[in-house]
Amino acid sequence: MKLNVQQRAVVSRLTGPTLVVAGAGTGKTRVIAARTAALLEAGALPARLLLLTFTRRAAEEMKTRVARLTDGKAILPWCGTFHAAAARMLRAYGGGIGVGADFTVLDEADSRDLLGAILHQSVPNKDTRKSFPAPGMLSRIQSYAVNRRCSLEEAVMSLAVERFCDVLDGLAAIYTEYAARKRAANALDYDDLLVRWRDLLRADGDRCRDLFDHVMVDEYQDTNILQAEILGELCVSHRNVMVVGDDAQAIYAFRGATVDNILEFTVRFPGTVRLSLEQNYRSTQPILDAANALIREAAEGFDKTLFTHRRGGEPPEIRCCDDTHDEARRTAADVARAWRRQDTPLHEQAVLFRSAFHSFRLELALQEQQIPYRKFGGPRFAESAHIKDVLAFLRCRQNPHDEAAWRRILKLLPGVGDATAARIFRTLIESAEPVGALSAVRWPLRSVETATGFVETIRELFQTTEGSSPDLELGVICDFYEPLLPELYPLADQRIAGLRELRLAAARYPDRKRFLDEVLVGDDSVFATRDQAPGDYLTLSTIHSAKGREWDTVYVIHLVEGALPAGPALGDPKKIEEERRLLYVAVTRARNRLVLSYPAARETFVRGHSTYTDCRPSRFLSAPVRACCRSSRGFPATELVYAPVE
C-alpha cells in the first residue's frame, strides 16, 4: 500500500500510547487498516486486537480493508462499535456484577416506549403531564446525564430545555422506575452497556484487560466521558493504545461527546507520542487555505496545516446576498446552472446549513427550478409536524371538506382524540355553515378553554377573502397556535422560528391556493417531467449530518450571527468554539468549489408586519478567512466588532 511520510510514521508506531491527529480528508481509515495489517504481520493475533468505531458501517469498512491487505487471512472478531464490544464483554463476564448473560438490549425506540409508559403511569393527570418532557426528550435528557456524568439539572440546562427544571423531582422518580423496570426485565439500554462495561472493568479488570494486546479507537474526538474511562481501564497495563481523531471536527457535544477527551489524551496516558496527518486527498489548496485560516483562530486545539499536492483550484467565494430570499434564489440558480450545463451532476452538489429550518426558502426555490433534492438532518420543511399543523388550518380554509386537515387541527385541542375529532367533523360537514356549527359543538371539559380561542381563530380565518395574502392568514393562525407549541412538541423556540420563516415565505405568494400548491406538492409530481439520472439529486443537509461525506461543490448558507454561530452559543466560549468547528467541517466537505453565503438583511415580523433588519456576517468570516476567498460583493468596509465572549 502506498503511504505518504506522515502515514508511514503512524503505521510503523506499533507500541505505546499514540495520538494521531488526522485532519479532514487525510486518509485516516486507510492508515488504521494499514497499521492493523502491520500489527498482524509483526505477530499480533487477530483475536487480541480491539478496534473500536462509532458505526457498524465503519467497522465493516475496516474489516474489509484489513482483509484486502492480508489476502483475506485476517478476521477481526473484536472490530466493532463501543456498544457491540460492551454487549459481547458483558455476556461473557457480566455475571460477576449482576448482569445475566441472557440480557436483552433496548434500542432507542424501546427506551422511548418504556419511558413513555412510565410517564403515563407516574403522572396520570393529563394536564400535569404537559409539564414533563415527551418520551423522546425524556430519553435524551437521561442519556446526556449518563454520558456526561452530570446531574439532571445540568443536563436539562445544557440541552436548553430549562422549563423542565420545575419537574426535576418527577424526572428523577421516572428514571428511578425506568432503572427498576430494566433490572426486573434483565434489559440494558445503550447507555447501560457502557456504564456496565466500565463497572466490569473496575470490578474484574485483570481478566478483561488480558484479552487484548492492542487497542485502537477511531473518531476519538466524538467519545464521551464514559468511553474515555473505559479506554483508560482497558489499557492501564499494556498501554498499547492508539486513538485517531481530529479535535477540529468535534461537533457532537449535544450527544454527550467532549472534545476534552482528545485534547487531554496525553494527560491520561503520559508518554504519548503525538503524530499528525495533514496531507489532504480531497480538496484543492485554496479551499484548504480557507479551512486552515478558520481553524487557526480557534482558542484551543492542536496545530496542523492541511495541504495537498493537487494543482489548481479556484478560491472559495464569499457571497453577500440582498436578503434570505435572494440567497435562496441565487443558490438554486447556481445549482441548476451547473446541472443543466452538465458541469456538475446534482449528486455532486450539496447545500449545508446550521439548522434544518434554514433551508425552507431554498426548498421553495428548488421546487420552482424543478431541482430534485433530498434533505438530511431533519424533515423537509413542509413535513415537520408544526408546519403541517398550521398548513392544515389553511387547507381547511381552502377546502372546508378536507377531512384529514380538520382532524389534524381538532386533535390539537386537549381531550380531543380520533373519535371526538371524527364526531365534530361529521357535524361540520353536515352543516351549511361550518363556523356556526363549530360554535355549537359540545367540547370535552378539558378542551373548553382552548376551544374558545380555536373557534375564534377559525371564525377570523374564514372571514378573510379569497385574495387575502397567505401570510396574514398565517398570522391569525399563529396567534392561536404558537402558545400551544411548548405543550405539543419539544424545542418550541426552534419551531416558532420555523413558523416565522413560513410566514415570510408566504408573503411572496399572491394567494393561499398558489402558496399551498407550492409548499405541499410532493417531489414525485414536481419532478416527474424532468429526465435525471437515477439517484441524481441535490443534497440538503445540516452540517452535523454532513460529517464524513464529501461533494464536488458545497454551498454553506446563512452565515450570520445568531445562525452560525447559533444564538444559544453567543456568550459561551466553549460553544462558540464548537460552532467554529462546525463551519470547519462544512468547509472541508468540498472538493473543488466552495461558496460561503450570507444575507445582508432578513425579514422579520414587528407587530404583525414584515420588515427588514440588517444581518451581521458570521464572526467566522474573519479577515484571514476572507483573504483566502474572493467576494462576489463587498464585505462591510470596516472590520466588524463582535461582543467578547466571557
Side-chain angles (χ1 to χ4, degrees):
M1 176 183 287
K2 186 176 180 180
L3 301 170
N4 65 41
V5 173
Q6 292 179 330
Q7 290 172 335
R8 285 199 299 273
V10 173
V11 171
S12 62
R13 168 92 178 156
L14 300 182
T15 58
T18 308
L19 168 62
V20 180
V21 181
T26 56
K28 68 177 178 61
T29 304
R30 174 189 181 94
V31 170
I32 296 172
R35 182 178 186 266
T36 303
L39 282 169
L40 296 172
E41 186 177 345
L45 299 176
R48 295 186 63 81
L49 299 181
L50 176 61
L51 206 166
L52 298 170
T53 67
F54 272 84
T55 65
R56 287 190 294 270
R57 180 180 176 182
E60 292 304 316
E61 172 69 13
M62 199 66 66
K63 291 177 184 177
T64 300
R65 291 198 185 204
V66 172
R68 191 181 303 133
L69 290 173
T70 59
D71 296 324
K73 298 175 183 177
I75 298 176
L76 301 175
W78 285 96
C79 176
T81 65
F82 269 92
H83 295 93
R88 183 174 175 186
M89 190 74 70
L90 289 168
R91 291 198 190 282
Y93 304 107
I97 58 169
V99 179
D102 60 344
F103 68 84
T104 55
V105 178
L106 304 179
D107 64 17
E108 293 179 357
D110 295 329
S111 298
R112 286 195 303 270
D113 290 346
L114 181 54
L115 283 166
I118 294 170
L119 172 64
H120 277 70
Q121 293 167 9
S122 303
V123 190
N125 184 284
K126 293 182 179 180
D127 291 329
T128 305
R129 199 184 305 141
K130 294 175 184 176
S131 302
F132 284 76
M137 182 55 71
L138 272 175
S139 178
R140 189 175 174 193
I141 292 170
Q142 192 258 358
S143 182
Y144 189 94
V146 170
N147 288 307
R148 292 301 290 260
R149 301 196 51 194
C150 65
S151 67
L152 284 179
E153 182 175 10
E154 289 172 318
V156 164
M157 297 298 290
S158 296
L159 293 172
V161 286
E162 297 90 341
R163 66 184 182 279
F164 298 132
C165 286
D166 296 336
V167 293
L168 287 177
D169 290 343
L171 290 179
I174 289 171
Y175 295 138
T176 299
E177 177 63 17
Y178 177 59
R181 297 273 188 98
K182 288 185 293 182
R183 282 194 301 271
N186 191 24
L188 302 177
D189 63 22
Y190 287 161
D191 297 323
D192 293 328
L193 291 172
L194 298 182
V195 172
R196 301 303 276 162
W197 189 11
R198 182 203 59 194
D199 294 346
L200 175 62
L201 287 166
R202 289 177 175 175
D204 194 11
D206 290 341
R207 178 166 56 164
C208 297
R209 294 186 196 106
D210 286 346
L211 292 172
F212 308 110
D213 297 323
H214 298 270
V215 179
M216 285 183 282
V217 183
D218 189 16
E219 301 285 9
Y220 190 66
Q221 79 281 348
D222 294 334
T223 53
N224 58 42
I225 293 173
L226 268 175
Q227 290 162 326
E229 290 176 344
I230 289 168
L231 189 65
E233 295 287 346
L234 278 170
C235 304
V236 70
S237 300
H238 59 68
R239 289 168 47 84
N240 291 329
V241 54
M242 174 179 281
V243 299
V244 183
D246 184 5
D247 56 293
Q249 297 186 73
I251 60 172
Y252 293 121
F254 69 96
R255 294 181 183 170
T258 172
V259 69
D260 292 341
N261 283 350
I262 192 168
L263 295 177
E264 297 173 2
F265 183 81
T266 56
V267 177
R268 186 179 290 273
F269 292 97
T272 291
V273 171
R274 176 161 66 89
L275 303 172
S276 296
L277 298 178
E278 297 171 299
Q279 183 174 343
N280 180 282
Y281 293 90
R282 176 186 301 155
S283 307
T284 61
Q285 192 61 52
I287 291 174
L288 297 180
D289 289 341
N292 291 331
L294 170 65
I295 208 63
R296 201 172 287 128
E297 296 186 308
E300 57 184 3
F302 299 115
D303 291 335
K304 57 182 166 297
T305 301
L306 296 179
F307 68 92
T308 183
H309 289 162
R310 291 182 60 190
R311 295 182 178 180
E314 60 184 43
E317 176 186 347
I318 293 180
R319 176 181 292 173
C320 175
C321 304
D322 293 337
D323 53 32
T324 48
H325 175 75
D326 182 48
E327 182 180 49
R329 180 186 59 78
R330 292 175 67 180
T331 302
D334 264 18
V335 170
R337 189 179 303 111
W339 173 39
R340 287 167 182 152
R341 290 179 178 176
Q342 299 184 338
D343 294 334
T344 312
L346 290 177
H347 66 269
E348 285 290 358
Q349 301 185 65
V351 184
L352 309 182
F353 33 83
R354 174 63 176 85
S355 299
F357 68 85
H358 290 154
S359 71
F360 179 47
R361 298 193 184 201
L362 177 62
E363 291 180 51
L364 293 178
L366 293 173
Q367 288 186 188
E368 291 177 1
Q369 293 273 0
Q370 291 193 315
I371 298 173
Y373 67 90
R374 291 186 186 175
K375 186 175 179 181
F376 300 87
R380 289 175 180 270
F381 199 84
E383 294 171 357
S384 302
H386 58 297
I387 301 298
K388 292 178 74 172
D389 287 346
V390 297
L391 292 178
F393 280 89
L394 287 185
R395 288 167 54 193
C396 291
R397 176 65 183 90
Q398 185 66 29
N399 175 15
H401 295 275
D402 189 333
E403 180 176 2
W406 277 110
R407 282 175 176 260
R408 186 176 188 96
I409 65 175
L410 287 166
K411 287 163 63 177
L412 295 173
L413 278 61
V416 177
D418 287 324
T420 303
R423 171 177 60 81
I424 295 173
F425 176 73
R426 286 195 300 271
T427 300
L428 299 180
I429 208 69
E430 292 169 358
S431 170
E433 222 303 300
V435 177
L438 201 61
S439 302
V441 164
R442 291 176 52 239
W443 299 96
L445 186 61
R446 290 180 52 235
S447 64
V448 169
E449 183 177 350
T450 309
T452 301
F454 176 79
V455 173
E456 183 57 37
T457 298
I458 296 297
R459 177 180 291 109
E460 189 173 350
L461 187 60
F462 272 70
Q463 285 174 349
T464 60
T465 63
E466 283 303 315
S468 296
S469 175
D471 73 301
L472 296 178
E473 295 179 333
L474 284 170
V476 172
I477 296 164
C478 289
D479 286 344
F480 166 75
Y481 180 77
E482 286 183 8
L484 303 181
L485 263 174
E487 300 176 0
L488 295 171
Y489 307 113
L491 305 175
D493 290 345
Q494 291 185 26
R495 293 175 189 270
I496 288 173
L499 293 176
R500 298 287 191 271
E501 290 294 317
L502 183 71
R503 288 190 61 185
L504 292 169
R508 297 186 176 275
Y509 288 85
D511 55 56
R512 180 194 326 114
K513 184 177 185 301
R514 173 75 181 276
F515 174 64
L516 286 173
D517 286 346
E518 288 287 338
V519 174
L520 296 176
V521 170
D523 288 338
D524 290 343
S525 55
V526 170
F527 305 131
T529 59
R530 182 156 299 283
D531 181 24
Q532 76 257 13
D536 192 22
Y537 55 84
L538 173 70
T539 293
L540 306 186
S541 178
T542 61
I543 301 172
H544 284 104
S545 297
K547 188 171 179 290
R549 303 184 65 187
E550 61 184 71
W551 295 271
D552 182 89
T553 301
V554 170
Y555 304 85
V556 189
I557 63 173
H558 219 62
L559 289 175
V560 296
E561 291 289 292
L564 186 61
L570 302 179
D572 186 324
K574 292 190 78 68
K575 289 182 179 178
I576 285 290
E577 289 309 310
E578 178 145 337
E579 296 290 300
R580 181 190 306 279
R581 296 192 293 267
L582 200 58
L583 181 56
Y584 178 82
V585 167
V587 167
T588 54
R589 300 309 94 196
R591 288 195 293 264
N592 293 312
R593 183 169 179 242
L594 173 67
V595 178
L596 307 172
S597 72
Y598 69 94
R602 63 167 293 138
E603 292 173 276
T604 58
F605 279 102
V606 178
R607 291 186 292 276
H609 296 285
S610 173
T611 186
Y612 282 87
T613 57
D614 291 338
C615 290
R616 290 168 64 82
S618 170
R619 67 188 65 200
F620 303 138
L621 299 178
S622 61
V625 173
R626 297 200 307 275
C628 303
C629 304
R630 61 186 177 89
S631 295
S632 59
R633 203 165 105 183
F635 202 79
T638 57
E639 187 70 19
L640 294 174
V641 177
Y642 297 91
V645 182
E646 300 297 332

